[in-house]
Amino acid sequence: MSGDAKPTEQPAQAAPEVKVSSADPPPALDTKSDEPMDLNSALEQMAKARAAQYAADRQPKKEVTYEEFQKMIDSTPLFMRETPKESGEDNYVLEALKSMMFDGDGDEVALNFKNHGNELYAQKSYKDAIQAYTQGLDAGPKDAALRTSLLNNRAACNVALKNFGAVLKDTSAIIALAASADPPVNPPPKALYRSAQALSALEKWDEALDAIKRGSELPGEDKKKEWGVLKSQVELGKKRAEERKERERRKPLYDASLRAAVKDRGLVVINTPEPPDNPHPLDFDPNGVEEVPLSPPSVAEKWQPPNPETTPLIFPTFLLYPQHNMSDLITHFHELTSFDQQLGAIFPASPEDTSVPWADWDTKHEYYVSNLAVYAETKGKRLLKCGKGIWLRDVIEKAKKVEGGKLTDGIVLRDGLLSFVVLVRGKEEKEWIENFKKVRDGK
């Protein structure tokens, strides 16, 4: 026989005919009994079997919870998020995966975990990636570069999760590994960069700047912009932290000086349970306060609180017009200005003055500066007429009453605000004063 043998061709056979019925096959009869079965018994048994099958089909299907579904997915190798744990079930695919992960020496196992962690990191599954890198370190790799890489990658995950204490722990270990090498080597730039990030987040500003300096001085790092950007961020954070700390130092000293200034003026302070909103509280004249930068500390520490006796105050002040049930709020009444100056910004100086419009409610055009009188009420219900041409500070000074070295009466500073009554001179002025005294004296 020459050539390759060819298979003998067989005649094609027709496919067997298959009959399909839409009805389910009848239930099998119980044929275990040796006794002959009559037709009625057979029909009865078939009916029972049909009923049993129908009841089984009607059983409700078990609902699968989300946790059960997730567990089922996690047990599927393609979707696994972590290395499978021991199980009593025979699963050859899982055993193969575990062999791939754990078989080999420490370095091989650690490398497998590192690669797995890198995949998880790319998916932003940082917690799972940390677990993978940790398992790689637990495998005890002897390769120093591999240990460093695992630590560095785990630090990257913790930066993303803002676990800055853990970042410092890993980056410190990396730096120690580099220093203990024989001969010593430079630590990876990324380790110093992440260390600086963590130190900055923990407000360890000087340590962060030191890490940046060391990292930017490594070979090939001096021209990378990342170091300059991070340094600027750290310096800005340090400046803001210093300023915040300095404000906290200054505030109680400033407030104490302000209270001392109020006491020095002879004002009687009354604070109510529900003070009105006051966007412009009592304060020192900013032009009388020495400006000292909040940072750096070597400069900021030279700041001193304002002198309570010599630094001018600025008061928010109500001017009340009881004859019309109206009022004005002067938000910045400087104590070294007079009522004439303040009233001149509100009312015309005289009937002929057109530089300032008349108040809408002053239909008789009676409220002009030269036609007005100003009164102050003290804590002791004294009613004092104020000279419109003298400074507010002198008005306050003249109103205070001291006995035995103790303030017994004075103009009231209620909830940080002063109040004065402004009246049209003449008949209405006298009537209001008489009525005030009657109310005060209970007549």
Side-chain angles (χ1 to χ4, degrees):
M1 181 180 295
S2 61
D4 296 335
K6 295 182 179 179
T8 304
E9 295 184 1
Q10 300 291 335
Q13 296 180 354
E17 181 180 357
V18 179
K19 294 182 180 180
V20 180
S21 173
S22 60
D24 292 333
L29 297 177
D30 186 1
T31 58
K32 293 181 180 179
S33 174
D34 294 333
E35 296 294 330
M37 184 178 295
D38 58 20
L39 180 61
N40 290 334
S41 298
L43 291 175
E44 182 180 354
Q45 188 167 338
M46 288 176 64
K48 290 180 179 179
R50 285 278 189 182
Q53 181 66 38
Y54 178 76
D57 292 341
R58 296 278 293 177
Q59 288 294 323
K61 296 182 179 180
K62 180 183 177 182
E63 294 186 359
V64 179
T65 66
Y66 175 81
E67 289 76 12
E68 291 171 336
F69 175 74
Q70 187 63 59
K71 184 177 180 181
M72 183 170 56
I73 287 294
D74 286 344
S75 66
T76 305
L78 180 61
F79 300 103
M80 283 183 175
R81 296 179 296 175
E82 59 183 19
T83 304
K85 298 180 174 58
E86 293 295 336
S87 173
E89 302 176 359
D90 292 332
N91 190 326
Y92 301 109
V93 177
L94 294 188
E95 292 302 322
L97 284 176
K98 291 167 68 176
S99 296
M100 291 172 61
M101 194 69 74
F102 290 102
D103 283 357
D105 59 22
D107 286 2
E108 291 178 356
V109 173
L111 183 59
N112 288 335
F113 276 117
K114 176 192 169 183
N115 293 335
H116 183 49
N118 291 348
E119 293 172 358
L120 293 168
Y121 180 87
Q123 299 168 11
K124 297 185 179 180
S125 299
Y126 301 122
K127 291 183 179 179
D128 293 331
I130 287 173
Q131 183 177 0
Y133 295 135
T134 301
Q135 288 176 299
L137 289 165
D138 291 344
K142 297 179 180 179
D143 186 347
L146 180 56
R147 292 201 305 274
T148 297
S149 183
L150 287 164
L151 289 166
N152 218 349
N153 291 356
R154 188 168 69 177
C157 293
N158 279 311
V159 168
L161 295 174
K162 298 184 179 181
N163 297 329
F164 298 114
V167 175
L168 289 180
K169 182 178 179 181
D170 283 344
T171 54
S172 297
I174 293 170
I175 295 170
L177 280 172
S180 61
D182 188 16
V185 297
N186 290 323
K190 287 183 179 179
L192 288 168
Y193 188 89
R194 288 164 184 155
S195 176
Q197 285 180 304
L199 290 165
S200 175
L202 297 172
E203 297 192 0
K204 303 290 186 181
W205 310 112
D206 292 335
E207 293 90 335
L209 290 171
D210 180 66
I212 292 171
K213 180 177 181 297
R214 293 174 183 272
S216 62
E217 291 176 351
L218 291 174
E221 297 294 315
D222 56 330
K223 295 182 180 180
K224 291 186 178 180
K225 295 181 179 180
E226 292 85 349
W227 294 107
V229 172
L230 183 58
K231 181 180 180 182
S232 297
Q233 293 172 349
V234 173
E235 288 176 339
L236 180 60
K238 179 181 179 181
K239 184 174 183 291
R240 288 176 176 172
E242 290 174 348
E243 291 176 348
R244 181 178 65 248
K245 184 177 180 180
E246 180 61 16
R247 287 192 192 95
E248 293 171 353
R249 182 185 79 87
R250 293 184 185 186
K251 190 177 187 310
L253 299 174
Y254 189 94
D255 292 346
S257 184
L258 194 59
R259 290 192 298 269
V262 170
K263 182 178 180 180
D264 176 74
R265 303 306 189 270
L267 291 164
V268 178
V269 178
I270 296 178
N271 294 317
T272 63
E274 297 182 0
D277 292 335
N278 184 10
H280 304 285
L282 164 72
D283 203 353
F284 287 111
D285 178 1
N287 295 323
V289 179
E290 182 182 6
E291 291 188 7
V292 178
L294 294 167
S295 68
S298 58
V299 175
E301 66 183 7
K302 297 177 182 178
W303 177 87
Q304 294 294 326
N307 187 308
E309 296 180 6
T310 61
T311 308
L313 292 173
I314 296 178
F315 295 91
T317 304
F318 272 121
L319 298 182
L320 309 175
Y321 315 117
Q323 293 164 326
H324 293 270
N325 292 322
M326 300 298 291
S327 65
D328 279 316
L329 173 63
I330 302 174
T331 58
H332 295 76
F333 197 146
H334 198 291
E335 68 174 349
L336 301 184
T337 61
S338 66
F339 281 100
D340 272 340
Q341 291 173 284
Q342 300 296 335
L343 291 171
I346 303 173
F347 302 111
S350 65
E352 296 79 20
D353 183 13
T354 59
S355 61
V356 180
W358 298 96
D360 294 339
W361 45 265
D362 180 20
T363 57
K364 297 181 180 179
H365 291 183
E366 296 176 311
Y367 280 76
Y368 52 92
V369 177
S370 59
N371 195 38
L372 300 176
V374 180
Y375 288 85
E377 180 184 355
T378 68
K379 175 69 168 53
K381 299 296 182 180
R382 291 183 297 142
L383 189 63
L384 306 175
K385 189 170 186 177
C386 307
K388 292 187 296 181
I390 64 176
W391 287 347
L392 174 62
R393 180 164 183 171
D394 294 333
V395 171
I396 297 171
E397 178 70 24
K398 292 178 181 297
K400 75 177 182 180
K401 188 175 182 181
V402 179
E403 294 179 358
K406 184 178 180 181
L407 179 69
T408 58
D409 195 17
I411 292 176
V412 175
L413 181 69
R414 189 182 303 273
D415 295 324
L417 293 137
L418 296 176
S419 297
F420 295 92
V421 176
V422 179
L423 304 169
V424 174
R425 296 171 63 183
K427 180 181 177 181
E428 292 182 356
E429 175 189 8
K430 293 179 181 179
E431 290 177 353
W432 187 88
I433 293 173
E434 289 176 359
N435 185 63
F436 173 84
K437 290 180 179 179
K438 287 180 181 179
V439 173
R440 181 191 64 186
D441 299 337
K443 295 181 180 180

